[in-house]
């Protein structure tokens, strides 16, 4: 009876010890790995376990150099940096990538925060440059998509997912990470020759393209920040354009007469002042104009002629000596409180004459 009890006690003891014996080899293996020299890790084939790390279209060059080029202490609980990395991002990445390109005046927050893997997969990706997503969809992971899509007109680079064509993804000397200042940046796509050797609109020459155009999207044509003429009132005095009688061309939009960017004619006109007016008022050149009944020839549209020696030259506006005599000598091209858009106070056409023809 005693021997049977001893047998039961011994068997129970062995059963309790059995799991420990079963785990003992695993314990020894873990212990060996912990103290395994770094050189031995270099000989291990990580792909046997981590097969998914190099299966996509683009593979990080560092994998060709060996996993240990980034992971110097893999599978060690007490490693200084997560996942056995030799350093934390972005310092780890600077081991291969030129730090100067990532530390300019303005740094993209993910870079500054060491979140390189917030945009790039560190091992493999189906997208170029190991990006986690393609095109602008990557940017929408942080930036609100509503600010870049959904409106009537979307800027072509945004619609085409070409955010880096305007913005540096890492760092830049320009504000908002722009690759260059305006208008130089805009000339990357828009024909610069249209702006050269001409009189240039102040917002263009001042690099203020976005004072008139939205950079990403808008509901107005050409991405304008407002419709005409309201947009122009941001700089030009609205009172000069909203008097009692307003020129129809103003209501049609300022670009009816003015080029919004540049032109060889003053005031950004496509033609001379009189030539521009005759585009709509062609009958003025054919019929008596200023003093009907006095002359069949009509008003001198080519300007007030002054005889100087043998030459006949176009004279200046008698009432405004610094201006050339033209349609705008008598008519305000924008708005007026007088009839027929007369520049000066007048109730009849004859009232205008005394402004030049002094008695």
């Amino acid at each position: 009876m005693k021997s049977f009890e001893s047998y039961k006690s011994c068997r129970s003891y062995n059963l309790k010890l059995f799991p420990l014996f079963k785990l003992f080899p695993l314990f020894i293996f873990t212990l060996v790995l912990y103290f395994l020299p770094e050189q031995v890790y270099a000989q291990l084939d990580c792909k046997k376990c981590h097969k998914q790390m190099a299966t996509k279209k683009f593979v990080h060059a560092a994998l060709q150099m060996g996993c240990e080029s980034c992971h110097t202490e893999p599978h060690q609980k007490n490693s200084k940096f997560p996942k056995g990395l030799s350093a934390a991002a972005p310092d780890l990445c600077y081991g291969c990538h030129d730090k100067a390109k990532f530390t300019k005046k303005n740094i993209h927050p993910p870079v500054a925060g060491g979140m390189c893997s917030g945009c790039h997969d560190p091992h493999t990706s189906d997208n170029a440059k190991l990006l986690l997503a393609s095109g602008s969809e990557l940017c929408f992971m942080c930036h609100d998509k509503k600010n870049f899509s959904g409106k009537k007109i979307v800027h072509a680079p945004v619609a085409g997912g070409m955010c880096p064509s305007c913005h540096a993804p890492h760092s830049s000397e320009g504000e908002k990470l722009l690759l260059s200042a305006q208008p130089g940046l805009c000339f990357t796509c828009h024909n610069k020759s249209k702006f050269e050797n001409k009189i240039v609109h102040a917002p263009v020459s001042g690099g203020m393209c976005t004072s008139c155009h939205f950079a990403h999207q808008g509901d107005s044509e050409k991405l304008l920040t407002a419709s005409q003429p309201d947009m122009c009132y941001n700089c030009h005095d609205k009172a000069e354009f909203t008097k009692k009688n307003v020129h129809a061309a103003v209501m049609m939009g300022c670009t009816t007469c003015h080029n919004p960017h540049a032109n060889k004619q003053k005031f950004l006109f496509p033609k001379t002042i009189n030539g521009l007016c005759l585009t709509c008022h062609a009958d003025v050149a054919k019929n008596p104009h200023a003093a009907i009944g006095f002359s069949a020839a009509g008003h001198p549209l080519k300007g007030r002629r002054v005889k100087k020696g043998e030459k006949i030259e176009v004279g200046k506006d008698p009432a405004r000596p610094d201006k050339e005599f033209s349609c705008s000598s008598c008519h305000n091209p924008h708005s007026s409180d007088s009839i027929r858009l007369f520049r000066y106070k007048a109730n009849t056409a004859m009232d205008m004459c005394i402004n030049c023809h002094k008695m």
Side-chain angles (χ1 to χ4, degrees):
M1 192 71 178
K2 184 177 180 181
S3 62
F4 179 72
E5 292 295 331
S6 298
Y7 169 76
K8 284 175 61 180
S9 176
C10 180
R11 188 171 184 276
S12 175
Y13 177 75
N14 288 335
L15 287 173
K16 289 179 181 179
L17 287 180
F18 178 74
L20 294 177
F21 284 112
K22 188 175 181 180
L23 295 173
F24 185 72
L26 181 61
F27 172 74
I28 296 298
F29 179 72
T30 304
L31 196 64
V32 170
L33 283 178
Y34 185 83
F35 292 102
L36 202 63
E38 186 176 315
Q39 292 80 0
V40 176
Y41 280 119
Q43 299 174 12
L44 296 177
D45 186 2
C46 302
K47 294 179 184 177
K48 287 184 177 180
C49 294
H50 304 283
K51 296 178 181 179
Q52 75 280 9
M53 294 299 182
T55 57
K56 296 182 180 179
K57 186 176 180 181
F58 298 94
V59 178
H60 195 184
L63 266 68
Q64 306 301 322
M65 298 162 58
C67 302
E68 72 281 358
S69 62
C70 294
H71 302 274
T72 54
E73 297 179 320
H75 305 292
Q76 294 194 35
K77 293 183 179 180
N78 296 326
S79 61
K80 186 175 180 180
F81 299 101
K83 299 182 180 180
L85 294 172
S86 59
D91 292 329
L92 174 69
C93 305
Y94 295 153
C96 296
H97 300 279
D98 185 2
K99 186 176 180 178
K101 294 180 179 180
F102 300 82
T103 54
K104 295 179 181 179
K105 184 178 179 181
N106 298 295
I107 303 174
H108 199 186
V111 177
M115 298 183 289
C116 304
S117 56
C119 296
H120 303 274
D121 189 297
H123 300 112
T124 182
S125 173
D126 286 326
N127 300 304
K129 299 182 179 180
L130 298 172
L131 293 174
L132 298 180
S134 60
S136 53
E137 290 302 320
L138 176 70
C139 303
F140 295 152
M141 291 170 65
C142 295
H143 301 279
D144 189 353
K145 190 174 182 178
K146 293 179 181 178
N147 294 330
F148 302 86
S149 62
K151 293 190 176 180
K152 187 177 179 181
I153 300 173
V154 179
H155 197 187
V158 178
M162 300 184 290
C163 303
S165 64
C166 295
H167 302 275
H170 301 119
S171 71
S172 171
E173 297 296 340
E175 61 177 6
K176 297 182 180 180
L177 295 173
L178 292 175
L179 297 178
S180 60
Q182 301 176 57
L185 177 68
C186 303
F187 292 152
T188 305
C189 297
H190 300 281
N191 190 350
K192 187 178 180 180
S193 64
K194 293 182 178 180
F195 302 81
E196 294 179 320
N197 302 317
K198 297 175 181 178
I199 298 172
V200 182
H201 196 188
V204 178
S205 60
M208 299 184 290
C209 303
T210 50
S211 65
C212 296
H213 303 274
F214 283 117
H216 299 120
Q217 65 167 348
D219 286 323
S220 299
E221 61 175 348
K222 299 182 180 179
L223 295 172
L224 294 175
T225 56
S227 58
Q228 300 180 57
D230 292 329
M231 183 178 69
C232 303
Y233 297 153
N234 290 328
C235 297
H236 301 280
D237 185 2
K238 186 176 181 178
E240 294 297 320
F241 301 82
T242 54
K243 295 179 181 178
K244 184 178 179 180
N245 300 297
V246 180
H247 193 186
V250 174
M251 305 311 297
M252 293 164 61
C254 305
T255 52
T256 303
C257 297
H258 304 273
N259 187 303
H261 298 123
N263 219 319
K264 291 186 176 181
Q265 297 289 340
K266 59 183 178 180
F267 305 121
L268 300 174
F269 286 152
K271 302 178 181 179
T272 61
I273 295 176
N274 289 349
L276 180 64
C277 297
L278 290 173
T279 303
C280 295
H281 306 283
D283 59 313
V284 173
K286 301 175 183 178
N287 303 310
H289 178 52
I292 296 176
F294 281 83
S295 170
H299 203 279
L301 292 173
K302 293 184 179 180
R304 172 174 169 265
R305 295 182 176 274
V306 179
K307 190 171 183 179
K308 291 186 178 181
E310 298 297 323
K311 295 182 179 180
I312 296 180
E313 299 179 352
V314 175
K316 298 295 183 180
D317 184 338
R320 301 181 302 164
D322 60 324
K323 306 290 184 182
E324 183 180 308
F325 190 82
S326 66
C327 300
S328 62
S329 296
C330 297
H331 303 277
N332 188 309
H334 299 122
S335 70
S336 172
D337 288 327
S338 297
I339 60 171
R340 299 179 186 176
L341 294 173
F342 283 144
R343 180 173 291 279
Y344 306 105
K345 186 176 180 180
N347 294 317
T348 66
M350 295 301 293
D351 290 342
M352 283 293 297
C353 301
I354 60 173
N355 290 289
C356 295
H357 303 281
K358 306 295 183 181
M359 299 301 291

